[in-house]
């Protein structure tokens, strides 16, 4: 099997990365940074997100597993003490694959010559105005739902629902629900401006189309990276056809990870 190991870049993670690399080479596996079948990350969820984007053009052939070194580690759910156990699992035992849904984002500009930009997000896409409030038409399944006015909107995946979405008061969704969630950031609500106010959960095939209404520059984020756009016509969000594949070597149910990450014990 071909594998690669990605590190956050701090000394501790780098040392662990080298140890894992050597162990797996000793077990006869081959190191392939270009076309790995397994991507092992050492760091935190940030490191995991970076690795996901590095290999998101070959998701069907890639399984991910993460180790967290001092960070939260919602995706990266192995600890450094378990590394020996983990490498033996990787080298010797057939593993299960668990798939989680992703968010597809298509950005279209007013310039016809620029082709639409397509992105996949593991956590979320956010849209904010760089100058004043964001004013955006929100369409769901082809019908106008509301005009949003406020700081911005966050459209998240179920596994991303514990990240930015959670800070916005969104619900935590189990990743077996192929869906996306729209959460508001400080909407303006009064006699003149009205939004629904509650987070919305859309099933597969229900597309959400955001059309910024003022001619201002908007900032779009996809997971950890920021895109700036001056002439956005629309941002289309829906559940992606692609899924992320996790290599599972032991049961570690989602709700248990939620409990350990946010309640403790
Ligand atoms: P960061 O600022 O270091 O990440 C913020 C925190 O979110 C870190 O503790 C990170 O864990 C954690 N995290 C990432 N994905 C998560 C998930 N699916 N469930 C629970 N926690 C998660 O930046 P980053 O590490 O590059 O992560 C980018 C993410 O930060 C974005 O996708 C967004 O969700 C989140 N974010 C949150 C807020 C907010 O809550 N107000 C604002 C901006 C961005 P690690 O420490 O293990 O990396
Ligand atoms: Mn981080």
């Amino acid at each position: 099997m071909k594998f690669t190991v990605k590190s956050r870049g701090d000394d501790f993670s780098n040392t662990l990365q080298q140890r894992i690399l050597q162990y797996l080479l000793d077990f006869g596996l081959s190191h392939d940074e270009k076309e790995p079948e397994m991507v092992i990350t050492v760091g935190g969820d940030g490191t995991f997100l970076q690795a996901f984007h590095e290999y998101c053009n070959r998701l069907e052939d890639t399984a991910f597993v993460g180790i967290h070194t001092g960070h939260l580690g919602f995706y990266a759910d192995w600890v450094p003490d378990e590394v020996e156990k983990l490498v033996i699992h990787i080298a010797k035992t057939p593993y299960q694959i668990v798939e989680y849904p992703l968010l597809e984002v298509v950005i279209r500009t007013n310039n016809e010559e620029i082709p639409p930009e397509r992105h996949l997000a593991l956590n979320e896409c956010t849209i904010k105005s760089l100058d004043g409030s964001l004013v955006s038409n929100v369409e769901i399944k082809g019908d106008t739902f509301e005009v949003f006015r406020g700081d911005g909107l966050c459209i998240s995946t179920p596994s991303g629902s514990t990240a930015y979405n959670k800070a916005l008061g969104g619900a935590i969704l189990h990743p077996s629900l192929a869906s996306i969630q729209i959460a508001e950031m400080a909407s303006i609500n009064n006699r003149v401006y009205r939004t629904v106010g509650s987070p919305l959960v859309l099933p597969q095939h229900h597309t959400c189309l955001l059309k910024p209404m003022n001619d201002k520059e908007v900032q779009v984020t996809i997971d950890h990276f920021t895109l700036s756009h001056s002439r956005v016509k629309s941002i289309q969000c829906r559940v992606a056809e692609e899924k992320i594949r996790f290599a599972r070597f032991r049961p570690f149910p989602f709700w248990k990870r939620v409990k350990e990450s946010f309640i403790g014990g």
Side-chain angles (χ1 to χ4, degrees):
M1 190 189 47
K2 299 183 288 183
F3 72 95
T4 191
V5 194
K6 296 282 161 185
S7 162
R8 187 171 56 219
D10 58 289
D11 290 346
F12 183 70
S13 302
N14 287 347
T15 308
L16 206 58
Q17 175 193 34
Q18 289 311 314
R19 257 175 62 206
I20 296 167
L21 188 77
Q22 197 51 55
Y23 279 143
L24 291 176
L25 290 174
D26 291 347
F27 273 122
L29 279 68
S30 49
H31 184 217
D32 186 335
E33 247 192 302
K34 277 230 160 72
E35 293 183 330
E37 293 156 85
M38 186 171 296
V39 175
I40 302 149
T41 66
V42 185
D45 288 328
T47 317
F48 193 97
L49 288 170
Q50 281 174 8
F52 165 77
H53 284 279
E54 188 172 343
Y55 296 103
C56 77
N57 57 343
R58 49 187 317 282
L59 292 175
E60 262 182 52
D61 304 307
T62 313
F64 292 86
V65 60
I67 299 158
H68 64 94
T69 49
H71 282 235
L72 179 68
F74 207 79
Y75 293 111
D77 57 12
W78 288 78
V79 296
D81 283 350
E82 300 174 303
V83 157
E84 278 80 7
K85 201 164 82 187
L86 179 61
V87 290
I88 292 170
H89 275 311
I90 293 173
K92 305 261 180 200
T93 46
Y95 51 86
Q96 257 195 313
I97 292 287
V98 176
E99 294 184 328
Y100 280 7
L102 297 169
L103 166 70
E104 181 197 67
V105 181
V106 178
I107 304 169
R108 295 184 175 85
T109 67
N110 288 315
N111 185 345
E112 304 279 284
E113 272 149 43
I114 304 174
E117 235 179 75
R118 182 177 184 269
H119 299 274
L120 288 178
L122 176 55
N123 271 350
E124 77 283 288
C125 163
T126 71
I127 167 172
K128 296 175 194 176
S129 164
L130 280 177
D131 168 27
S133 296
L134 170 75
V135 184
S136 178
N137 204 57
V138 180
E139 273 179 27
I140 297 175
K141 267 190 101 188
D143 289 322
T144 294
F145 182 77
E146 65 185 13
V147 176
F148 177 88
R149 190 177 287 256
D151 283 3
L153 289 162
C154 171
I155 297 91
S156 58
T157 65
S159 61
S161 67
T162 49
Y164 205 157
N165 169 74
K166 186 173 182 296
L168 299 171
I172 297 181
L173 290 191
H174 194 276
S176 61
L177 302 164
S179 54
I180 58 172
Q181 181 169 188
I182 309 169
E184 299 181 348
M185 298 176 196
S187 56
I188 301 175
N189 260 294
N190 53 37
R191 231 172 38 229
V192 187
Y193 305 120
R194 185 129 308 277
T195 64
V196 69
S198 312
L200 302 178
V201 178
L202 306 190
Q204 223 158 7
H205 311 304
H206 287 206
T207 300
C208 161
L209 195 65
L210 308 174
K211 291 181 177 158
M213 286 167 72
N214 37 5
D215 221 18
K216 288 176 183 168
E217 202 172 337
V218 294
Q219 186 186 66
V220 181
T221 69
I222 304 285
D223 295 339
H224 57 289
F225 64 89
T226 303
L227 320 157
S228 255
H229 270 290
S230 47
R231 300 176 70 200
V232 172
K233 187 171 151 201
S234 66
I235 300 172
Q236 175 192 301
C237 298
R238 64 178 173 199
V239 178
E241 292 287 332
E242 298 95 325
K243 291 184 163 201
I244 182 172
R245 301 164 72 245
F246 295 91
R248 270 293 136 80
F249 303 98
R250 58 165 182 213
F252 195 175
F254 180 76
W255 296 119
K256 195 166 177 209
R257 287 212 303 284
V258 172
K259 182 183 171 212
E260 285 187 10
S261 298
F262 297 106
I263 297 172

